[in-house]
Amino acid sequence: MGEGRRLDTDPLDLEAFRRNAYALVDWVVDYLGGLEDRPVREPVRPGEVRAKLPGRAPEDPEAFDAVLADLDRVVAPGLTHWQHPGWFAYFPAQSSPPAILGELAAAGMGVQGMLWSTSPAATEIESHVLDWLVDLLGMPQEWKTTGAGGGVLQSGASASTHTALVVAREECLVRSGAGPKDMVAYTSSHAHSSIEKGARMAGYGHIRLLATDREFAARPDVLAATVTEDRRAGLAPAFVCSAVGTTGTTGVDPVRRFGEIARAEQMWHHVDAAYAGSAMICEEFRHHQDGLELVDSYTFNPHKWLATNLDCSVMWVADRRPLIEALSVLPPYLRNEASESGRVIDYRDWHGPLGRPFRALKLWFVLRCFGAAGLRRMIRTHVAWARELADRIDAHSKLATVAPTPFALVSFAHVDGNAATDELVDRINDDGRFYITASEAEGRRYARISVGSTWTSRTHVEALWDLIDAGA
Ligand SMILES: *Cc1c(COP(=O)(O)O)cnc(C)c1O
């Protein structure tokens, strides 16, 4: 320790770290416990947060107390509180105490698990936990790392889908000799924007957004006809994505039919179940993804609905060989005995980034501290509350659902039309205790209530319904 260092501001003093860490945990507990007294969205004007910050970074060390105080002064009043019990907007971005502790432990160890040899436990716990999930979610056994496939944690479903698109492009190139500009990716017109973005980033020349049926599921007859048309035009169909739970309405594409077409046409078949994948921990939802044996890759986000904070997205492949072949580049400085033995997984070869955080730790903590039974209970409770809301909406003279509720999203509109729907959404959000989102499908405005905050209880759902009922 240099003499010039003042102990109370030494950022490397471990005993000070201990005290500060306890103080921070107290802050987090008080924050989460106090959310109900705050509006879901703090009223902030653009630039208001930055205006509270000094123009220059501090030259001299500050005491941690001052840093902590700014969580209350600067940060919390500038947040949209995603963990608020009144959160019904978008989809949830869940967190939970075990996940937060897992994140802290991972940061505490600060390992970088790009290769097995750069932290064997990081790799092996990740492989093992994702193999557990194969069983917990009823996925095909071949998807385990002990089989031909395997799972990897990525930053998000967008990254997983982008990765799948790259592998599909390489497969198509090897098989047909076609260039990316002639390759075509297919997905629902209600698919998440990440499919189109991923296809663009991967260099695909064409993306086809397929028409859907009345329940917002992409139509296999449209897929088959479009592929035939593209082949006739000399293009190379390379990739098809089935959505299990679209973002707009949780529409569910026919995975088996899409898989059959993909097999017949030699296309890569990817499933985007970013939100709804978590529900598969309960057996009664699995019929929505019948046909998984015809799937090449699959992504879902524990960081949405499996109690694990951002970022934590699962990507499974049925066969890891094409993935590793597409992404493995070996510079001399990464050569090591373990990798060369072929007996270990080097996750850097499973996605774009090299450096990777120890994401599996928080997922492991969550699975152990909730238990599968606890997670099933949470999912079932959310779905039951959502379906209750949907029933009340359909029984209401002024409201009607616009899509089924296979999971925990209720999509509904005011019977008087778009303006009345938007007004209702504004009235609910202006109250401050809740946040829901509005969207549009086929020219029709509708409201989305996504039940799924870790901290939502029945009282919040009841209070939201009272507000909807009074506002309609
Ligand atoms: C949220 C969502 C995504 C994007 O997930 P990220 O993890 O934010 O990249 C992709 N697809 C669907 C269906 C989603 O709901």
Side-chain angles (χ1 to χ4, degrees):
M1 295 273 148
E3 258 177 65
R5 249 182 198 165
R6 291 181 16 233
L7 258 189
D8 60 329
T9 55
D10 180 355
L12 301 184
D13 179 334
L14 277 178
E15 286 311 315
F17 170 52
R18 191 190 301 280
R19 285 192 303 276
N20 295 338
Y22 288 148
L24 181 62
V25 168
D26 284 341
W27 187 90
V28 172
V29 172
D30 292 341
Y31 170 78
L32 290 172
L35 278 175
E36 211 150 351
D37 301 329
R38 297 175 177 274
V40 183
R41 286 179 300 165
E42 298 288 347
V44 193
R45 288 181 311 277
E48 200 176 319
V49 178
R50 287 193 69 167
K52 292 181 184 171
L53 301 173
R56 281 171 191 275
E59 181 62 26
D60 296 313
E62 292 183 60
F64 187 73
D65 287 352
V67 178
L68 195 57
D70 276 354
L71 289 182
D72 287 319
R73 187 184 68 92
V74 180
V75 183
L79 291 178
T80 294
H81 302 291
W82 282 71
Q83 304 310 320
H84 198 290
W87 183 268
F88 295 94
Y90 306 103
F91 280 139
Q94 286 193 338
S95 181
S96 66
I100 297 166
L101 294 173
E103 188 77 70
L104 178 62
M109 294 174 222
V111 302
Q112 206 275 58
M114 58 183 174
L115 302 167
W116 178 86
S117 65
T118 63
S119 248
T123 295
E124 294 195 13
I125 290 172
E126 182 163 332
S127 299
H128 203 77
V129 164
L130 296 182
D131 283 0
W132 276 359
L133 277 181
V134 166
D135 289 332
L136 283 179
L137 275 61
M139 302 299 183
Q141 287 297 307
E142 307 81 71
W143 294 11
K144 287 186 177 176
T145 50
T146 50
V152 57
L153 291 174
Q154 299 228 32
S155 61
S158 302
S160 302
T161 297
H162 177 216
T163 307
L165 279 152
V166 169
V167 183
R169 185 193 67 206
E170 294 306 293
E171 289 282 282
C172 181
L173 174 74
V174 169
R175 198 177 47 245
S176 69
K181 288 294 162 218
D182 288 330
M183 290 185 196
V184 194
Y186 304 83
T187 192
S188 162
S189 58
H190 284 264
H192 190 263
S193 55
S194 57
I195 322 297
E196 187 168 352
K197 188 171 180 175
R200 220 191 284 174
M201 290 196 295
Y204 282 67
H206 310 270
I207 176 141
R208 306 276 183 249
L209 303 179
L210 308 166
T212 57
D213 65 18
R214 288 173 50 207
E215 297 198 338
F216 303 105
R219 287 168 43 190
D221 58 317
V222 176
L223 172 63
T226 315
V227 169
T228 304
E229 217 170 281
D230 285 337
R231 284 226 189 272
R232 215 170 280 146
L235 298 175
F239 175 96
V240 55
C241 173
S242 298
V244 173
T246 58
T247 313
T249 62
T250 58
V252 178
D253 295 340
V255 175
R256 179 172 295 283
R257 290 290 295 117
F258 271 35
E260 287 164 354
I261 296 167
R263 282 289 181 276
E265 299 287 345
Q266 294 196 298
M267 294 188 284
W268 187 275
H269 185 204
H270 176 68
V271 169
D272 177 5
Y275 159 74
S278 297
M280 303 307 163
I281 198 166
C282 307
E283 215 165 337
E284 65 268 28
F285 300 104
R286 294 183 195 159
H287 66 93
H288 288 299
Q289 55 182 28
D290 168 59
L292 288 182
E293 70 275 18
L294 302 172
V295 166
D296 296 301
S297 54
Y298 183 106
T299 185
F300 90 101
N301 288 343
H303 73 216
K304 274 187 172 148
W305 199 15
L306 211 59
T308 310
N309 63 298
L310 272 160
D311 55 13
C312 188
S313 174
V314 174
M315 179 192 192
W316 274 301
V317 286
D319 181 2
R320 60 180 174 269
R321 186 193 43 84
L323 170 67
I324 294 169
E325 270 172 21
L327 299 182
S328 181
V329 181
L330 185 61
Y333 48 82
L334 290 181
R335 288 227 164 96
N336 67 88
E337 214 173 290
S339 299
E340 267 151 41
S341 77
R343 292 175 55 233
V344 301
I345 284 177
D346 290 327
Y347 274 126
R348 70 171 190 116
D349 295 330
W350 292 52
H351 53 36
L354 174 68
R356 57 199 321 269
F358 195 170
R359 293 188 182 98
L361 207 55
K362 56 190 171 189
L363 189 52
W364 190 44
F365 278 30
V366 164
L367 292 175
R368 296 180 65 182
C369 296
F370 278 86
L375 294 168
R376 281 188 208 109
R377 201 177 311 123
M378 175 191 76
I379 297 273
R380 285 182 176 136
T381 305
H382 290 159
V383 174
W385 288 341
R387 287 182 180 164
E388 246 180 82
L389 278 175
D391 287 344
R392 290 190 195 182
I393 283 162
D394 279 330
H396 196 283
S397 61
K398 290 283 174 193
L399 305 170
T401 56
V402 304
T405 297
F407 306 106
L409 178 76
V410 189
S411 308
F412 69 103
H414 196 285
V415 295
D416 292 347
N418 287 351
T421 299
D422 281 335
E423 273 166 40
L424 177 59
V425 171
D426 288 344
R427 213 167 302 144
I428 292 162
N429 287 338
D430 287 346
D431 176 84
R433 288 176 294 157
F434 308 101
Y435 185 26
I436 70 172
T437 29
S439 187
E440 194 172 313
E442 330 285 323
R444 185 175 187 191
R445 302 286 297 162
Y446 67 97
R448 288 172 81 265
I449 293 181
S450 144
V451 180
S453 163
T454 318
W455 307 99
T456 298
S457 69
R458 189 179 187 93
T459 358
H460 304 107
V461 180
E462 290 291 342
L464 173 62
W465 169 252
D466 290 343
L467 196 58
I468 295 169
D469 187 27

